[in-house]
Amino acid sequence: VECGLRLTILKTIPKELLSCRIENLNEVLTGPTLLDIEGESEQTLFISTLLHGNETTSFLVLQKWLLQFQKTKPSKRLLIFLGNIAAAVRGLRQLPDGPDYNRIWESGPWPEHNLASEVFIYAKQFPLFANIDIHNNTGKNPFYACINVLSEEAIKLANLFSKKVVYFTEPSQVQSMAFAELCPSMTIEAGLPGNEVATNEVIRVLDCLMRRQSFHELSIDRDVQIYHTFGRIKIAHHASVDFEYSQDSQAELSFDCSLDDKNFEILPINSRLGFIKNPQVLTVIDNRGEEITDEIFSFNAGEIRTKQIIIPSMFTKNITIMKDDCLGYIMERMKI
Ligand SMILES: [Zn+2]
């Protein structure tokens, strides 16, 4: 096992964790860590943090929220996973030579797959009340929550954080998908990193869950909006990209500079997202892994235009993330 990849389980909250700077986190923790904090009851809340090292809201939430449990026992047992410490210290989503920590929750070849499985097996021995995996976006998005199962309990859980709920099943290797087997489970997408409003909103959800004994005590807002993700837009690694929004650009892809303002907006047919020189560098993949580019976009005269009404999410202007992960997702509204 590579150094810094062993799971450390701690039964107390390290004091320095609550005050250290994220870039010094490796002085407090040796690597991926699971805090197992006994509560008044055995009912257990699982909180997943820093699966993406540059998404700092989860860390800020812990620093603020855990202060109260230095002296008093929490009402429920807390299992808190701090994932990609090495990437967090460097301000990166993931290490350049390592896997994405939110794609390791199915079996696979990396040592990190074993790490995730160890965390899952440990958590499974407790009566889990809910699982929350806290993330940020790299592009502008409203606050929303994602679920991987369309159960009433999962919708109630997501609705605690936002009226915007995204249901997705691909990628399937995410933490919230694995834990959905054990309890109501969600991913929180708390806007851009470092926003204090986001930190407080996540804390509000955690406090609320700590007070409830059962999901019967929760309800679903009448105006909750459920979206279903049916496509991912992939950008080729070798593609040159800019945001000049110009046909004369030298880049193979020249996107609308306000691309991420379109997240959760309804884009009418024939909306132009940018210009493309080489149609091979942009593809849309559906949930079965099949290419559906032709159903979604036309590339006539080098313009990227929508062929149907789409609702984007997670559109990002970060070129590295666009290529490593995706440009964003395409959604449709669902009725429940
Ligand atoms: Zn993330």
Side-chain angles (χ1 to χ4, degrees):
V1 175
E2 215 176 296
C3 171
L5 258 183
R6 289 186 70 95
L7 178 66
T8 304
I9 297 173
L10 299 176
K11 301 280 189 167
T12 55
I13 303 167
K15 205 165 154 247
E16 307 75 33
L17 176 66
L18 303 186
S19 57
C20 76
R21 295 170 63 90
I22 195 161
E23 49 274 35
N24 301 328
L25 197 49
N26 57 338
E27 293 163 20
V28 182
L29 305 175
T30 54
T33 302
L34 187 61
L35 303 181
D36 176 3
I37 312 299
E38 206 182 303
E40 296 291 348
S41 79
E42 268 303 280
Q43 221 176 36
T44 302
L45 187 62
F46 195 100
I47 305 169
S48 168
T49 68
L50 292 178
L51 294 190
H52 293 146
N54 60 329
E55 299 175 10
T56 53
T57 292
S58 62
F59 181 66
L60 299 173
V61 165
L62 290 190
Q63 288 202 318
K64 196 165 174 181
W65 191 64
L66 290 181
L67 282 172
Q68 59 184 312
F69 303 126
Q70 285 187 304
K71 292 198 185 78
T72 45
K73 239 188 200 184
S75 58
K76 294 181 178 16
R77 179 183 285 271
L78 297 175
L79 291 180
I80 301 171
F81 181 54
L82 295 102
N84 203 340
I85 306 302
V89 166
R90 295 169 62 182
L92 299 172
R93 175 185 168 96
Q94 66 198 77
L95 293 181
D97 51 355
D100 181 330
Y101 269 48
N102 204 21
R103 302 287 185 275
I104 56 173
W105 300 85
E106 278 178 357
S107 52
W110 293 84
E112 286 86 349
H113 286 106
N114 298 334
L115 170 78
S117 144
E118 214 182 317
V119 171
F120 184 80
I121 288 166
Y122 189 89
K124 218 170 133 172
Q125 64 181 315
F126 299 103
L128 293 174
F129 184 64
N131 169 69
I132 294 155
D133 183 22
I134 308 164
H135 287 256
N136 294 110
N137 300 130
T138 49
K140 281 179 258 170
N141 280 276
F143 291 169
Y144 64 97
C146 300
I147 55 176
N148 312 101
V149 174
L150 277 177
S151 68
E152 192 181 324
E153 289 186 337
I155 296 169
K156 282 178 173 176
L157 180 65
N159 190 192
L160 273 183
F161 180 65
S162 175
K163 285 183 185 178
K164 288 185 163 54
V165 177
V166 174
Y167 164 65
F168 76 88
T169 51
E170 284 298 327
S172 63
Q173 314 89 333
V174 298
Q175 195 270 356
S176 63
M177 184 83 142
F179 275 71
E181 267 180 46
L182 306 178
C183 62
S185 177
M186 72 164 155
T187 309
I188 277 180
E189 295 287 354
L192 296 169
N195 175 336
E196 201 180 339
V197 177
T199 305
N200 293 336
E201 279 300 288
V202 178
I203 288 176
R204 177 184 60 74
V205 171
L206 297 180
D207 283 338
C208 177
L209 287 168
M210 292 297 273
R211 286 196 303 270
R212 311 292 161 150
Q213 258 100 58
S214 145
F215 274 77
H216 295 301
E217 299 164 40
L218 297 170
S219 56
I220 299 174
D221 287 327
R222 294 186 66 163
D223 55 347
V224 71
Q225 300 147 32
I226 303 191
Y227 301 86
H228 172 230
T229 300
F230 69 90
R232 290 176 88 190
I233 307 175
K234 304 286 289 178
I235 304 296
H237 266 272
H238 58 78
S240 50
V241 179
D242 71 23
F243 296 92
E244 309 278 301
Y245 202 29
S246 161
Q247 195 135 36
D248 302 327
S249 159
Q250 296 301 306
E252 286 168 295
L253 287 162
S254 186
F255 287 116
D256 186 338
C257 49
S258 60
L259 198 63
D260 57 347
D261 289 322
K262 302 183 192 306
N263 286 323
F264 285 83
E265 299 286 319
I266 298 168
L267 301 187
I269 295 174
N270 216 26
S271 299
R272 191 172 70 188
L273 298 184
F275 297 91
I276 189 164
K277 290 217 159 48
N278 171 7
Q280 252 97 64
V281 298
L282 185 154
T283 48
V284 186
I285 307 294
D286 74 6
N287 287 332
R288 291 164 309 166
E290 317 254 322
E291 192 179 332
I292 52 167
T293 317
D294 287 349
E295 292 166 40
I296 309 295
F297 295 120
S298 66
F299 299 138
N300 295 332
E303 297 184 330
I304 307 169
R305 285 188 186 268
T306 56
K307 280 168 92 172
Q308 53 171 276
I309 295 171
I310 62 166
I311 307 170
S313 68
M314 275 200 191
F315 270 16
T316 180
K317 290 174 69 184
N318 181 315
I319 295 171
T320 308
I321 287 171
M322 184 186 291
K323 292 177 178 180
D324 281 352
D325 189 25
C326 61
L327 170 69
Y329 294 87
I330 300 174
M331 312 188 294
E332 60 198 347
R333 275 289 292 275
M334 286 182 87
K335 293 222 162 53
I336 50 161

